[in-house]
């Protein structure tokens, strides 16, 4: 008895919540909430599951529970049956609502099918306007987005309903198990019969509801499959519409309207005016804006709300951004930053328009549907027109700064500013007329032709006034621009305006509009290209000035590799951006993207090796990046990592050089891998190199291995003073093939590395930069040798660059023929090899003169033993002076000479 009664009284009834959704309005179908489907199914199943049938499952272990009386069990079952009777009426109402919603969903799907069929019929028409195709494509995207959201909701509903059905089946199985267990209980027969009847009734109710639920789920799955099939059909139609629109847009440019003048009639003109009035009145009706609201919801109001929120955030922070940019401009008030300051000025002044233009462009790039394609196109084009005119006016205000042409500058600023302001109003009005009346309207064509003719008249007046202004400026002593430039600009302006009028009159209206728009975009591109190029040139001039700045102009510094590389990359980026911009201006974005993709995918196969343009460009980028990394990394290793005083200079240079070789090896391997060279190809290359080494590359390979030996063994290091083949020089750089040394005459000599391995090399600074120098001096016989020794020691002790250890010493070397030879031994640094001995010799000569020590020199004494006395007497009388001179010593003669 307890096993049956305990679960009836102490079971927890599950509570079910409904999923809330948003309203999805339908075209030509009554508005409803699709999540009602989920609410109906869940409510129906919750009624079925609400019965207190939470009995113990078969096989469950029963815990001891308090005894329950049969009367309590019967009362509980009677209450459950009464509750189920009440639920039956609610279930019937839910089924009715389900049927109504099924009809509404079917009507919605039928409306979508009709629209899809209409779009398919539009594709069958030979001559279709691009505007109609664009509107059809936008509506197709709206339907696809709405139906995709509906399918996603149905998936969630189906998953939840299936789970509830599984629980219902589980409850029925539990009820049947409890009926079987009831027969084993020892209850009074009357109580057992009443309980059994009530359980059978509950089981029958649950089984009936299970059957209804299965029927509803089957219909639900059928409807979901219909939605999926319709989604596939809509996507296929959208793809065909997009292809047709691209082809139609290209063909419309070169399609001639031969009957352009036949439309000029009173009835045709009145019809156009009446059509324009009706369309204007339609814009003011509530039905039009209600339809836009419906399309707004169908297009995904959340997405458009996010874009509006981004624009609102930009508006909130615009003052802070403008203030920051203005602060940066004030810090760059130097002539070397003029163009970069001008670019910041243009961006700051047009920040609001730039934010709106970027968001609108991003919305189009993502191909999100619009609630009204004509209105969206008008808004986008208006924003871009306002932005272009703003840039033009600001450039005239700040970009023209030439004091030598003050009169011409003032004229251009006034005339062109008024022209841009009038052009802005005229173009926006023309765009509004296109939105309302359509591009094929006679009024649109007449307005465009009138604007083009007015442009020609304005150009004639402008160039005449410009000539007069130039003449006036020359009379005032100002500089005039080259006449060839003026003639070229004048001819180009007449070509653009006259070409547009000619195209209009010959029936190529679409081509004329595209002609003017493309040239306007070209002018805008040229404006920013001019600013960007001069900014890069200013950057280059700054780098060059910093490289040559210094006190010693004879030895200019070398520009930083990173700065030089960035300038070159900026120039390359400028060229690439200019070419891409020109392609975007004079061709469609899809055409440019497809063309660039085709160029990048070009490949040439050489055997098993496939070389593509994309791989080649990527390999070049990798090699350039490796070059920059090695050039910048050498400085980083030297100054940041290997900056300890414990490192020898040669060891640091060896580590840096080996690291450079490793980075270059990895970069080249990566570049070869990008090019498509695999391990097999590398093995073939190395095999070919091994054969080449045996023949023509033997010397190169020998020098390479010798370079590695020099780097690892380090018999010579950067900064050592070496003697190779009688040549004294300082080691400047040890490369992979040769070593660069610099002689004391400032001549750079490139010596192959094998010369340092195979020949005798004297390294005067190897491990110890000290060198001993010998200075020999001869004094006359009879000099005080102790005074000579002490004088030599005093001279070297007063020399700061003579090393104190080992101590200087004086050696008495020899009794020569004409002098007493002394040798002064001193130790100096290798850098002072020549300078210190030279200074000591200067001091030695000066001190010996002061002390009267005679520096001996070779001399001969002639002793004549026999001669003719008469000849000797005559020669002596002719050469001797009136009074014989005093005898002079060599020391006195030396003093007289000095």
């Amino acid at each position: 008895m307890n096993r049956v009664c305990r679960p009836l009284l102490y079971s927890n009834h599950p509570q079910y919540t409904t999923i809330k959704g948003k309203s999805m309005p339908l075209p030509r179908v009554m508005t409803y909430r699709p999540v009602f489907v989920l609410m109906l199914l869940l409510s129906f199943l919750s009624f079925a599951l609400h019965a207190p049938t939470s009995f113990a499952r078969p096989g469950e272990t029963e815990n001891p529970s308090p005894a329950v009386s049969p009367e309590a069990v019967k009362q509980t079952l009677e209450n459950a049956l009464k509750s189920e009777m009440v639920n039956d009426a609610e279930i019937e109402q839910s089924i009715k609502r389900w049927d109504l919603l099924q009809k509404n969903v079917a009507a919605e799907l039928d409306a979508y099918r009709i629209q899809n069929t209409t779009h398919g019929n539009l594709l069958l028409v030979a001559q279709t306007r691009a505007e109609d195709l664009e509107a059809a494509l936008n509506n197709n995207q709206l339907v696809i987005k709405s139906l995709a959201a509906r399918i996603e909701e149905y998936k969630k509903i189906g998953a939840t309903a299936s789970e509830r059905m599984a629980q219902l089946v589980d409850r029925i199985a539990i009820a049947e198990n409890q009926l079987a267990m009831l027969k084993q209980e020892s209850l009074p027969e009357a109580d057992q019969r009443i309980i059994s009847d009530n359980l059978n009734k509950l089981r029958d109710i649950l089984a009936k509801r299970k059957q209804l639920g299965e029927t509803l789920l089957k219909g639900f799955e059928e409807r979901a499959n219909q939605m999926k099939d319709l989604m596939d059909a809509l996507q296929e139609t959208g793809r065909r519409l997009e292809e047709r629109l691209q082809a139609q847009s290209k063909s419309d440019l070169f399609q001639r309207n031969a009957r352009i003048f036949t439309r000029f009639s009173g009835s045709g003109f009145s019809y156009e005016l009446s059509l324009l009035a009706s369309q204007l009145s339609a814009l003011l009706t509530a039905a039009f804006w209600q339809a836009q609201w419906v399309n707004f919801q169908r297009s995904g109001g959340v997405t458009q709300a996010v874009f509006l929120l981004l624009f609102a955030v930009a508006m909130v922070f615009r003052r802070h951004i403008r203030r920051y940019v203005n602060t940066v401009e004030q810090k760059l008030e130097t002539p070397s930053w003029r163009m970069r300051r001008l670019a910041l000025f243009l961006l700051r002044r047009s920040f609001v328009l730039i934010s709106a233009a970027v968001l609108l462009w991003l919305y189009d790039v993502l191909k999100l549907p619009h609630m009204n394609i004509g209105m969206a196109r008008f808004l986008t084009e208006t924003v871009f027109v306002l932005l272009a005119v703003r840039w033009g006016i600001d450039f005239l205000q700040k970009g023209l700064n030439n004091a030598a042409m003050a009169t011409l500058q003032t004229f251009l600023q006034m005339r062109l500013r008024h022209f841009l302001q009038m052009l802005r109003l005229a173009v926006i009005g023309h765009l509004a007329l296109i939105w309302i009346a359509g591009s094929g309207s006679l009024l649109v064509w007449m307005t465009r032709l009138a604007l083009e003719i007015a442009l020609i008249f304005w150009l004639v007046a402008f160039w005449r006034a410009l000539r007069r202004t130039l003449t006036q400026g020359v009379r005032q002593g100002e500089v005039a621009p080259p006449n060839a430039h003026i003639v070229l600009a004048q001819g180009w302006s007449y070509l653009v305006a006259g070409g547009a009028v000619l195209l209009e009159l010959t029936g190529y209206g679409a081509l004329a509009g595209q002609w003017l728009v493309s040239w306007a975009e070209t002018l805008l591109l040229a404006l920013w290209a001019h600013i960007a190029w001069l900014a890069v040139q200013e950057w280059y001039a700054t780098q060059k000035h910093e490289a040559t700045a210094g006190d010693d102009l004879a030895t200019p510094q070398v520009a930083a590799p990173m700065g030089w590389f960035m300038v070159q990359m900026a120039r390359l980026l400028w060229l690439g951006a200019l070419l891409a911009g020109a392609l975007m201006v004079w061709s469609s974005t899809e055409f440019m993207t497809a063309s660039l993709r085709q160029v990048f995918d070009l490949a040439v196969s050489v055997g098993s090796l496939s070389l593509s343009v994309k791989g080649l460009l990527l390999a070049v980028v990798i090699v350039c990046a490796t070059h920059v990394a090695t050039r910048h990394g050498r400085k980083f290793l030297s100054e940041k990592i290997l900056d300890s005083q414990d490192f020898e200079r040669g060891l640091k240079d060896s580590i840096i050089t080996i690291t450079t070789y490793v980075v270059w090896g990895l970069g080249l391997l990566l570049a070869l891998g990008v090019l498509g060279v695999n391990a097999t190809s590398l093995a073939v290359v190395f095999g070919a190199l091994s054969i080449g080494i045996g023949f023509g590359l033997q010397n190169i390979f020998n020098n390479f291995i010798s370079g590695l030996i020099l780097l690892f063994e380090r018999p010579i290091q950067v900064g050592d003073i070496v003697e190779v083949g009688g040549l004294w020089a300082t080691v400047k750089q040890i490369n992979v093939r040769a070593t660069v040394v610099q002689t004391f005459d400032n001549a750079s000599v490139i010596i192959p590395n094998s010369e340092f391995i195979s020949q005798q090399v004297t390294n005067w600074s190897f491990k110890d930069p000290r060198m001993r120098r010998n200075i020999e001096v001869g004094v006359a016989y009879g000099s005080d040798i102790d005074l000579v020794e002490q004088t030599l020691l005093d001279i070297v002790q007063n020399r700061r660059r003579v090393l104190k250890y080992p101590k200087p010493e004086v050696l008495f070397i020899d009794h020569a023929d004409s002098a007493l030879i002394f040798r002064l031994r001193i130790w100096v640094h290798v850098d002072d090899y020549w300078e210190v001995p030279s200074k000591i010799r200067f001091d030695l000569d000066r001190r010996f003169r002061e002390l009267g020590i005679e520096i001996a020199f070779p001399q001969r004494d002639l002793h004549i033993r026999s001669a003719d006395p008469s000849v000797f007497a005559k020669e002596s009388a002719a050469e001797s002076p009136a009074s014989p001179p005093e005898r002079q010593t060599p020391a006195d003669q030396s003093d007289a000479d000095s």
Side-chain angles (χ1 to χ4, degrees):
M1 179 66 185
N2 291 337
R3 289 183 299 170
V4 178
C5 298
R6 182 186 60 81
L8 289 175
L9 295 179
Y10 298 103
S11 60
N12 294 324
H13 299 284
Q15 301 295 327
Y16 303 102
T17 59
T18 58
I19 300 177
K20 298 181 180 180
K22 59 181 180 180
S23 61
M24 303 295 291
L26 297 174
R28 305 189 186 97
V29 184
M30 64 174 295
T31 302
Y32 75 102
R33 297 180 180 272
V35 295
F36 280 167
V37 178
L38 175 62
M39 295 171 61
L40 288 173
L41 285 177
L42 295 185
S43 62
F44 170 76
L45 295 177
S46 64
F47 290 148
L49 297 176
H50 197 271
T53 57
S54 182
F55 303 104
R57 296 177 182 271
E60 287 184 349
T61 303
E62 294 294 334
N63 295 325
S65 57
V68 180
S69 63
E71 297 296 333
V73 174
K74 290 189 290 182
Q75 186 64 36
T76 301
L77 290 176
E78 290 176 357
N79 294 333
L81 287 176
K82 292 179 180 179
S83 176
E84 293 302 326
M85 296 300 180
V86 175
N87 290 338
D88 284 340
E90 296 181 0
I91 290 175
E92 291 180 0
Q93 296 295 328
S94 299
I95 292 176
K96 291 180 180 180
R97 290 195 298 268
W98 164 258
D99 294 336
L100 178 60
L101 292 176
Q102 284 288 78
K103 293 179 181 179
N104 291 333
V105 171
E108 179 188 8
L109 297 181
D110 290 339
Y112 290 163
R113 292 190 185 95
I114 293 173
Q115 177 178 314
N116 190 47
T117 304
T118 304
H119 293 165
N121 295 333
L122 183 63
L123 292 171
L124 298 177
V125 180
Q127 298 294 333
T128 308
R129 296 192 311 168
E131 295 175 353
D132 296 337
L133 291 173
E134 194 173 19
L137 179 60
N138 185 71
N139 292 333
N140 177 267
Q141 293 175 350
L142 288 174
V143 171
I144 287 177
K145 190 167 186 178
S146 177
L147 188 59
R150 195 67 48 80
I151 292 175
E152 188 65 25
E153 290 178 358
Y154 263 59
K155 287 181 180 179
K156 295 179 181 179
I157 293 171
T160 306
S162 298
E163 182 181 355
R164 297 293 186 266
M165 281 296 299
Q167 294 178 2
L168 180 59
V169 172
D170 191 31
R171 298 292 180 178
I172 294 175
I174 293 175
E176 292 178 350
N177 181 58
Q178 295 302 323
L179 283 173
M181 295 175 60
L182 182 64
K183 296 179 181 179
Q184 301 176 5
E185 295 291 338
S186 57
L187 293 175
E189 181 178 358
D191 295 337
Q192 186 174 10
R193 184 174 63 254
I194 293 173
I195 294 174
S196 177
D197 292 340
N198 291 333
L199 285 175
N200 285 325
K201 292 179 181 179
L202 285 175
R203 183 192 61 183
D204 295 340
I205 292 174
L206 293 176
K208 181 179 178 181
R209 291 177 180 175
K210 173 189 173 184
Q211 183 178 3
L212 290 175
E214 290 176 349
T215 303
L216 294 176
L217 283 178
K218 182 177 180 181
F220 175 81
E221 292 176 356
E222 292 178 355
R223 190 66 65 194
N225 292 331
Q226 292 177 2
M227 291 182 180
K228 293 179 181 178
D229 296 339
L230 181 58
M231 174 64 75
D232 296 336
L234 289 171
Q235 290 177 348
E236 176 64 21
T237 303
R239 184 187 62 80
R240 293 170 58 192
L241 284 171
E242 188 173 1
E243 293 177 355
R244 178 66 179 277
L245 178 60
Q246 294 177 1
Q248 188 69 31
S249 299
K250 294 179 181 178
S251 62
D252 285 348
L253 289 177
F254 303 98
Q255 185 176 2
R256 180 172 179 269
N257 187 1
R259 300 183 299 174
I260 188 65
F261 294 102
T262 59
R263 301 172 62 184
F264 283 100
S265 62
S267 59
F269 190 72
S270 61
Y271 172 75
E272 292 285 348
L273 290 178
S274 61
L275 183 62
L276 178 62
S278 62
Q279 291 173 345
L280 282 174
S281 60
L283 293 177
L284 303 177
T285 59
F288 173 80
W289 294 106
Q290 184 179 2
Q292 305 312 311
W293 173 249
V294 171
N295 289 337
F296 174 78
Q297 293 177 317
R298 291 175 58 191
S299 62
V302 176
T303 304
Q304 296 180 355
V306 168
F307 277 84
L308 292 176
L309 179 61
L310 292 176
F311 183 73
V313 170
M315 294 302 99
V316 170
F317 290 99
R318 70 183 186 276
R319 292 185 178 179
H320 301 280
I321 295 175
R322 285 179 173 177
R323 189 180 300 113
Y324 173 76
V325 176
N326 190 23
T327 304
V328 175
E329 291 179 31
Q330 294 176 358
K331 293 180 180 180
L332 304 179
E333 288 290 342
T334 57
S336 60
W337 287 83
R338 177 173 174 268
M339 283 299 158
R340 285 169 281 186
R341 191 171 63 253
L342 175 61
L344 292 176
F345 174 77
L346 296 181
L347 296 177
R348 176 174 60 86
R349 292 271 294 172
S350 57
F351 174 75
V352 175
L353 293 174
I354 289 177
S355 302
V358 169
L359 291 176
L360 291 172
W361 172 79
L362 183 61
Y363 195 91
D364 288 337
V365 168
L366 296 177
K367 296 183 178 181
L368 299 175
H370 300 277
M371 63 179 183
N372 187 299
I373 187 63
M375 183 187 302
R377 183 61 52 83
F378 168 73
L379 179 62
T380 303
E381 293 176 350
T382 299
V383 169
F384 278 97
V385 168
L386 294 175
L387 180 60
V389 172
R390 167 55 58 189
W391 282 342
I393 294 176
D394 291 340
F395 179 78
L396 291 174
Q397 178 183 351
K398 292 289 186 178
L400 301 179
N401 188 12
N402 191 350
M405 301 180 182
T407 304
L408 177 61
Q409 177 179 330
T410 304
F411 170 79
L412 292 177
Q413 288 177 346
M414 292 179 57
R415 285 296 185 94
L416 294 180
R417 181 177 182 179
H418 293 325
F419 170 74
L420 290 176
Q421 291 173 348
M422 292 186 298
L423 182 65
R424 175 174 55 192
L425 295 177
V427 172
I428 293 177
H430 182 67
L431 292 176
L433 187 60
I434 293 177
W435 169 39
I436 298 172
S439 60
S441 173
L442 178 62
L443 295 176
V444 172
W445 180 85
M446 293 174 60
T447 305
R448 186 170 60 242
L449 180 60
L451 292 176
E452 293 164 356
I453 295 174
L455 177 61
I456 293 179
F457 283 107
W458 183 88
L459 286 174
V460 172
F462 171 79
W463 289 115
R464 289 182 178 179
L466 180 64
R467 292 290 183 180
R468 293 193 298 268
T469 304
L470 289 176
T471 303
Q472 181 182 359
V474 171
R475 291 175 180 175
Q476 295 176 0
E478 297 180 357
V479 179
N483 187 58
H485 294 177
I486 298 176
V487 172
L488 181 62
Q490 184 178 3
W492 170 81
S493 62
Y494 286 151
L495 175 64
V496 173
V501 174
L502 182 61
L503 290 173
E504 291 286 358
L505 296 178
T506 54
Y508 294 97
L511 184 59
Q514 185 65 28
W515 169 266
L516 291 176
V517 171
S518 298
W519 277 116
E521 293 175 350
T522 302
L523 283 176
L524 196 62
L525 177 64
L527 170 68
W528 279 106
H530 171 74
I531 296 175
W533 176 254
L534 292 182
V536 173
Q537 292 301 102
E538 289 177 351
W539 188 13
Y540 174 71
T542 303
Q543 294 284 337
K544 189 175 180 180
H545 176 72
E546 293 176 355
T548 57
D551 297 333
D552 189 5
L553 298 179
T555 57
Q557 302 176 1
V558 180
M562 195 64 182
W564 177 87
F565 177 78
M566 294 300 295
V567 170
Q568 304 307 319
M569 289 295 101
R571 288 176 175 175
L572 185 61
L573 180 63
W574 177 87
L575 180 60
L578 182 62
L579 294 177
L583 287 175
M584 291 180 63
V585 167
W586 292 99
S587 64
S588 61
T589 306
E590 293 79 6
F591 174 76
M592 185 198 70
T593 305
S595 300
L596 292 178
R597 188 181 294 111
Q598 290 178 359
V599 171
F600 287 149
D601 292 339
L602 288 178
V604 178
S605 298
V606 181
S608 60
L609 181 62
S610 179
L611 298 176
S612 63
V613 176
K614 178 172 60 178
L616 182 61
L617 292 177
L618 188 57
V620 170
V621 171
I622 292 174
V623 172
C624 292
T626 305
H627 173 71
V628 174
T630 53
R631 294 290 298 272
H632 196 60
R634 292 173 68 94
K635 183 178 180 181
F636 179 77
L637 284 175
S638 178
E639 297 180 357
K640 301 298 182 181
I641 298 179
L642 304 177
D643 58 343
S644 176
Q645 299 294 333
D646 298 334
F647 282 99
E648 298 180 2
R649 180 182 177 184
L651 179 60
K652 290 173 60 176
D653 291 328
S654 297
I655 294 175
I656 292 173
T657 304
I658 294 172
T659 304
T660 302
Y661 291 163
V662 172
V663 173
W664 265 114
L666 294 177
L668 291 177
L669 288 177
L670 183 59
L672 291 175
V674 170
L675 284 175
V677 180
N678 50 24
T680 305
S681 302
L682 289 177
V684 174
V685 172
F686 289 141
L689 286 177
S690 62
I691 299 175
I693 290 170
F695 292 96
L697 300 179
Q698 182 177 1
N699 293 332
I700 296 177
F701 189 74
N702 185 18
N703 291 324
F704 174 74
I705 297 299
S706 299
L708 294 180
I709 294 174
L710 294 177
L711 289 174
F712 284 99
E713 187 178 344
R714 293 186 291 115
I716 62 172
Q717 303 177 16
V718 175
D720 288 350
I721 296 178
V722 297
E723 181 182 359
V724 182
L727 177 68
W728 285 63
T730 304
V731 179
K732 290 298 182 181
Q733 189 175 6
I734 302 176
N735 295 322
V736 66
R737 188 192 65 85
T739 298
V740 179
V741 299
Q742 187 176 20
T743 66
F744 297 108
D745 296 330
N746 199 29
S748 296
V749 181
I750 301 175
I751 302 176
N753 292 330
S754 58
E755 298 290 332
F756 293 93
I757 302 298
S758 60
Q759 294 186 7
Q760 179 180 349
V761 179
T762 303
N763 191 342
W764 292 100
S765 57
F766 183 71
K767 301 297 184 181
D768 191 353
R770 298 177 301 174
M771 296 183 66
R772 190 181 71 180
R773 294 303 307 272
N774 296 324
I775 303 175
E776 294 186 357
V777 61
V779 299
Y781 279 91
S783 300
D784 187 352
I785 58 175
D786 294 330
L787 179 61
V788 171
E789 179 184 15
Q790 186 62 38
T791 301
L792 292 175
L793 292 177
D794 291 341
I795 290 174
V796 298
Q797 287 178 358
N798 294 330
R799 279 290 161 190
R800 181 172 53 86
R801 297 165 70 178
V802 176
L803 301 180
K804 303 303 180 182
Y805 181 84
K807 296 189 297 182
E809 58 182 352
V810 178
L811 302 178
F812 193 162
I813 298 300
D814 194 11
H815 288 81
D817 295 337
S818 303
L820 302 176
I821 307 301
F822 290 85
R823 178 178 294 172
L824 176 62
R825 287 184 175 180
I826 60 174
W827 289 84
V828 297
H829 194 275
V830 65
D831 294 335
D832 301 328
Y833 183 82
W834 296 108
E835 184 178 359
V836 172
S838 176
K839 296 293 184 181
I840 290 177
R841 288 187 175 94
F842 277 106
D843 294 341
L844 185 148
D845 184 77
R846 179 177 53 81
R847 290 287 295 162
F848 276 16
R849 289 176 186 274
E850 293 174 355
L851 298 174
I853 300 175
E854 179 183 359
I855 299 177
F857 55 89
Q859 56 184 352
R860 293 289 184 269
D861 293 335
L862 299 178
H863 301 278
I864 302 174
R865 296 173 181 251
S866 62
D868 188 355
S870 60
V871 175
F872 180 76
K874 292 179 180 180
E875 292 180 355
S876 299
E879 294 178 0
S880 62
S883 59
E886 298 180 359
R887 184 178 179 181
Q888 296 180 351
T889 64
D892 295 335
Q893 182 67 31
S894 175
D895 293 338
D897 293 339
S898 62

